[in-house]
Amino acid sequence: MARISRVIKLKLGPDTHIIKKNAADKQGTQACQQCSLRSLCFEIGKTERKRLCDAILIEVYDSPSDFSPYGGHFEVSSHNPV
Protein backbone atom coordinates (compact mmCIF):
# COMPACT_ATOMS: atom_id res chain seq x y z
CA MET A 1 0.00 0.00 0.00
CA ALA A 2 1.29 3.47 -0.85
CA ARG A 3 2.09 5.85 1.94
CA ILE A 4 -0.49 8.52 2.61
CA SER A 5 0.70 12.09 2.97
CA ARG A 6 -1.18 13.88 5.75
CA VAL A 7 -0.38 16.70 8.14
CA ILE A 8 -1.26 16.09 11.78
CA LYS A 9 -1.65 19.28 13.81
CA LEU A 10 -2.74 19.82 17.40
CA LYS A 11 -3.75 23.30 18.48
CA LEU A 12 -3.46 23.94 22.20
CA GLY A 13 -4.14 27.49 23.23
CA PRO A 14 -1.99 29.82 21.13
CA ASP A 15 0.39 27.04 20.02
CA THR A 16 0.13 24.74 17.01
CA HIS A 17 2.08 21.47 17.24
CA ILE A 18 2.80 19.41 14.10
CA ILE A 19 3.99 15.81 14.16
CA LYS A 20 7.40 15.32 12.51
CA LYS A 21 9.15 12.12 11.50
CA ASN A 22 11.89 10.78 13.74
CA ALA A 23 15.28 10.36 12.11
CA ALA A 24 16.83 6.89 12.09
CA ASP A 25 19.41 8.01 14.64
CA LYS A 26 16.87 9.80 16.87
CA GLN A 27 14.46 7.17 18.07
CA GLY A 28 12.94 6.48 21.45
CA THR A 29 14.37 8.65 24.22
CA GLN A 30 16.19 11.09 21.91
CA ALA A 31 13.03 11.81 19.92
CA CYS A 32 10.97 12.05 23.09
CA GLN A 33 13.30 14.74 24.44
CA GLN A 34 12.67 16.84 21.31
CA CYS A 35 8.88 16.50 21.51
CA SER A 36 7.01 19.71 22.29
CA LEU A 37 4.18 17.72 23.95
CA ARG A 38 6.33 15.42 26.09
CA SER A 39 4.99 16.78 29.40
CA LEU A 40 1.39 16.40 28.21
CA CYS A 41 2.14 12.86 27.08
CA PHE A 42 3.70 11.96 30.44
CA GLU A 43 0.73 13.41 32.34
CA ILE A 44 -2.34 12.34 30.35
CA GLY A 45 -1.35 11.16 26.89
CA LYS A 46 -0.33 7.59 27.52
CA THR A 47 -2.98 5.18 26.30
CA GLU A 48 -2.28 1.64 27.38
CA ARG A 49 1.45 1.39 26.63
CA LYS A 50 1.50 3.83 23.71
CA ARG A 51 2.80 7.37 23.61
CA LEU A 52 0.43 10.13 22.52
CA CYS A 53 2.05 10.43 19.07
CA ASP A 54 1.78 6.67 18.47
CA ALA A 55 -1.88 6.63 19.50
CA ILE A 56 -2.65 9.53 17.12
CA LEU A 57 -0.70 7.91 14.25
CA ILE A 58 -2.69 4.69 14.74
CA GLU A 59 -5.93 6.69 14.41
CA VAL A 60 -4.80 8.50 11.24
CA TYR A 61 -2.87 5.73 9.46
CA ASP A 62 -3.46 1.99 9.17
CA SER A 63 -0.10 1.52 10.89
CA PRO A 64 2.31 4.04 12.47
CA SER A 65 5.00 2.77 10.08
CA ASP A 66 2.90 4.19 7.20
CA PHE A 67 3.94 7.60 8.59
CA SER A 68 7.55 6.69 9.43
CA PRO A 69 9.31 3.46 10.36
CA TYR A 70 10.93 5.33 13.27
CA GLY A 71 7.81 7.00 14.68
CA GLY A 72 7.23 10.68 15.21
CA HIS A 73 7.32 13.56 17.68
CA PHE A 74 5.58 16.92 17.91
CA GLU A 75 7.22 20.28 17.24
CA VAL A 76 5.75 23.74 17.79
CA SER A 77 5.13 25.22 14.35
CA SER A 78 3.62 28.53 15.41
CA HIS A 79 3.13 30.49 18.58
CA ASN A 80 0.60 33.29 18.58
CA PRO A 81 0.72 35.27 21.83
CA VAL A 82 -2.68 36.28 23.10
Side-chain angles (χ1 to χ4, degrees):
M1 177 180 264
R3 291 198 177 181
I4 303 167
S5 178
R6 296 186 176 149
V7 177
I8 299 171
K9 295 180 182 180
L10 283 176
K11 182 147 179 64
L12 298 172
D15 299 328
T16 301
H17 304 262
I18 295 181
I19 198 162
K20 303 288 184 175
K21 295 178 181 181
N22 293 342
D25 61 341
K26 295 201 184 224
Q27 300 176 53
T29 306
Q30 288 180 334
C32 185
Q33 290 170 350
Q34 290 181 320
C35 184
S36 62
L37 295 178
R38 68 182 173 276
S39 61
L40 178 70
C41 187
F42 291 149
E43 292 297 321
I44 63 170
K46 291 198 175 196
T47 58
E48 296 176 4
R49 291 186 301 269
K50 296 177 183 68
R51 294 185 302 264
L52 178 63
C53 55
D54 292 335
I56 290 173
L57 288 172
I58 288 169
E59 286 296 316
V60 174
Y61 294 92
D62 292 332
S63 166
S65 62
D66 288 342
F67 174 75
S68 168
Y70 307 112
H73 66 279
F74 284 95
E75 292 180 7
V76 175
S77 69
S78 65
H79 175 73
N80 299 320
V82 179

